[in-house]
Amino acid sequence: TVDPARLQAFYNSLPPATIRTFRPFGDSATLERCRQVIAENLADPRNRYDLIAQQGTEPVGWAYLADLTKTQPYLGIVVAEPVRRKGLGKALMAMLLGWARFQHLPAVYLMVVQDNEPAINLYRSLGFEVYDEEFDEIDQLSYFHMVVKFDQP
């Protein structure tokens, strides 16, 4: 498992523009919330599945599926700027989606800022499709809602 203090440091080191759109903790992460995320991965029934990519002992990427016990589990992902566009995001996404299929989830949902073309292209390459869009009055950004549906046996 990842050290909660390292996860906290990783999240809090992300640029404000990244945190603004990848915001599982809001503006900053607390050590207690990071511990809670790790505990939720060990709970039964499991409500989330997190993957942390590390260089040595330092996190450089984080992807998760949350709300696994609800009807619309959702995905979040962030990769540190120095290692972006090198395949890490795609690898994390492929692992998450593989796990989701193995768990027989019918679909996975996400939101993405409409001007984030690299992310949208990645999501589309993995089978995600836009099903809705919204303008967030709080952060003043336009978002796509996307979904990938899995064939059930």
Side-chain angles (χ1 to χ4, degrees):
T1 62
V2 70
D3 175 15
R6 291 185 193 276
L7 181 59
Q8 178 190 23
F10 169 70
Y11 185 87
N12 292 337
S13 73
L14 294 170
T18 300
I19 289 176
R20 187 174 170 199
T21 58
F22 173 79
R23 52 184 172 208
F25 296 145
D27 291 337
S28 65
T30 64
L31 189 56
E32 181 55 36
R33 184 63 183 111
C34 291
R35 286 185 180 125
Q36 183 181 357
V37 162
I38 293 167
E40 288 176 18
N41 275 270
L42 305 173
D44 187 20
R46 183 180 212 155
N47 190 43
R48 62 182 299 131
Y49 179 68
D50 290 76
L51 295 172
I52 308 294
Q54 298 183 151
Q55 280 186 334
T57 59
E58 298 304 316
V60 293
W62 176 20
Y64 65 86
L65 290 169
D67 285 350
L68 294 174
T69 59
K70 297 184 179 175
T71 58
Q72 290 191 345
Y74 67 90
L75 182 148
I77 184 168
V78 67
V79 174
E81 287 188 23
V83 295
R84 286 187 185 163
R85 294 187 180 83
K86 296 181 180 177
L88 179 58
K90 188 170 191 170
L92 286 169
M93 293 278 298
M95 286 188 276
L96 276 182
L97 296 177
W99 186 87
R101 282 185 191 94
F102 184 76
Q103 298 300 314
H104 305 290
L105 297 180
V108 170
Y109 298 80
L110 62 79
M111 283 177 59
V112 61
V113 177
Q114 288 184 8
D115 67 1
N116 189 346
E117 288 186 40
I120 293 166
N121 291 337
L122 170 62
Y123 303 149
R124 284 192 169 131
S125 77
L126 295 168
F128 281 86
E129 297 177 353
V130 173
Y131 70 92
D132 198 5
E133 53 187 281
E134 75 174 87
F135 181 78
D136 188 309
E137 294 292 337
I138 295 171
D139 65 18
Q140 297 291 298
L141 295 172
S142 296
Y143 289 86
F144 287 129
H145 292 261
M146 300 181 81
V147 62
V148 62
K149 296 180 180 179
F150 304 120
D151 294 328
Q152 298 299 314

